Amino acid sequence: MRAETLAPAMMIASGSIHAVVNAILKGGKDKMAGRALIDGSSAVLLLPATLLVPLPEGAWGWLAATALIHCLYLYALVRAFEASDFSAAYPILRGTAPLVTAALAVGVFGEAASGRELAGIALIGAALFGMVGGRHIGRAGLGWALLTGVMIAAYTVVDAHGVRAAPTPASFIVWMFVLMGSLTVAMFALLSRGRIFASARSQWRPGAAAGALSILTYGLALSAFALGPTAPLAALRETGMVTALLIATFVLKERVTAGRAAGVLGILGGALLILTG
């Protein structure tokens, strides 16, 4: 399969899996413990792989930057889910991300994007915001969701450059998960004063499953970034909102509105513009 076809397919699959990971996090009682379990499990699973991949020479700076950004992102994500419904916070944080990513990738790093691709990115962002519909979200929840979206955009651009700078994509992916997972567990352990370890006992099974899925979803995304441009590929990942809506409706039992249904059509329309750009 050609890179022009493989990279978008990988990113669309990544988006759907990412929605499942976040739904598992939202469904847990202790969000900090849940996120620590997800990232800690990812780190443990990939730790042996550090012996099999080359050191990420040329990408250490990108790894350090993404580790710090991911810590801010995960803290903001937990706060957003603590303060808001999944179906209210998730569209906002995911809608912010592709717009800011495009601004950074194209405006700051000078990456190329066609007019059709930029139109698709804008349509996906607008559709995601529209999916909030009549859902109430407080000022705190909105603030944390917007901050999460900005952090997603920041780590997306950093990771896209890091995976290209490393000797191999696998090298960057493995070392990123091990470093990020270690820092995440340490951060939430300090913030909770160790409470997460007691909470983890009751939710370790879904946390471990989500950790394995986290490797798959972001491994696919980073592999796609190694093959193609950042902004349109990052926007395609937001097609996972369709999966998120299905989960919110049939698993979390949240109501589907006409606005959310229209949002799905907007996301799919934006994806079509990008894929045909």
Side-chain angles (χ1 to χ4, degrees):
M1 187 180 291
R2 295 186 307 167
E4 295 83 356
T5 305
L6 180 59
M10 293 168 74
M11 197 58 84
I12 291 170
S14 171
S16 291
I17 300 168
H18 187 263
V20 175
V21 172
N22 278 280
I24 292 173
L25 174 62
K26 175 60 181 175
K29 292 182 179 180
D30 189 321
K31 304 298 185 293
M32 282 192 183
R35 194 65 239 193
L37 274 168
I38 291 171
D39 293 291
S41 297
S42 298
V44 170
L45 288 170
L46 284 181
L47 185 61
T50 58
L51 301 175
L52 305 176
V53 298
L55 290 172
E57 300 292 348
W60 287 114
W62 296 112
L63 278 169
T66 195
L68 293 175
I69 294 169
H70 266 92
C71 284
L72 290 172
Y73 151 68
L74 292 171
Y75 181 76
L77 178 68
V78 166
R79 290 301 189 192
F81 282 167
E82 286 177 342
S84 314
D85 283 347
F86 179 71
S87 57
Y90 196 71
I92 293 174
L93 64 91
R94 298 310 310 184
T96 305
L99 303 179
V100 179
T101 298
L104 290 173
V106 177
V108 177
F109 290 95
E111 293 192 25
S114 69
R116 197 177 182 91
E117 287 174 336
L118 291 174
I121 293 168
L123 180 55
I124 287 175
L128 284 162
F129 276 108
M131 290 181 76
V132 179
R135 300 293 298 184
H136 172 72
I137 184 167
R139 184 178 299 177
L142 177 61
W144 286 118
L146 289 172
L147 178 59
T148 303
V150 172
M151 292 299 101
I152 290 171
Y155 77 63
T156 296
V157 173
V158 167
D159 290 349
H161 284 78
V163 75
R164 295 165 192 160
T168 65
S171 171
F172 186 85
I173 292 168
V174 167
W175 283 97
M176 188 209 72
F177 271 106
V178 170
L179 180 60
M180 183 181 71
S182 302
L183 289 177
T184 300
V185 172
M187 177 182 72
F188 285 133
L190 288 172
L191 289 172
S192 68
R193 297 182 180 180
R195 188 195 71 239
I196 62 167
F197 297 112
S199 300
R201 295 173 185 172
S202 63
Q203 56 190 79
W204 69 268
R205 286 185 179 85
L213 289 174
S214 184
I215 295 171
L216 181 58
T217 178
Y218 207 50
L220 284 169
L222 289 176
S223 298
F225 284 138
L227 300 174
T230 306
L233 287 175
L236 282 177
R237 197 175 189 226
E238 307 315 325
T239 56
M241 189 59 219
V242 178
T243 302
L245 180 63
L246 294 174
I247 293 171
T249 303
F250 295 107
V251 179
L252 302 179
K253 306 301 181 183
E254 297 179 1
R255 187 169 59 91
V256 178
T257 64
R260 292 187 200 175
V264 167
L265 294 178
I267 292 168
L268 295 177
L272 183 62
L273 283 173
I274 292 171
L275 292 171
T276 58

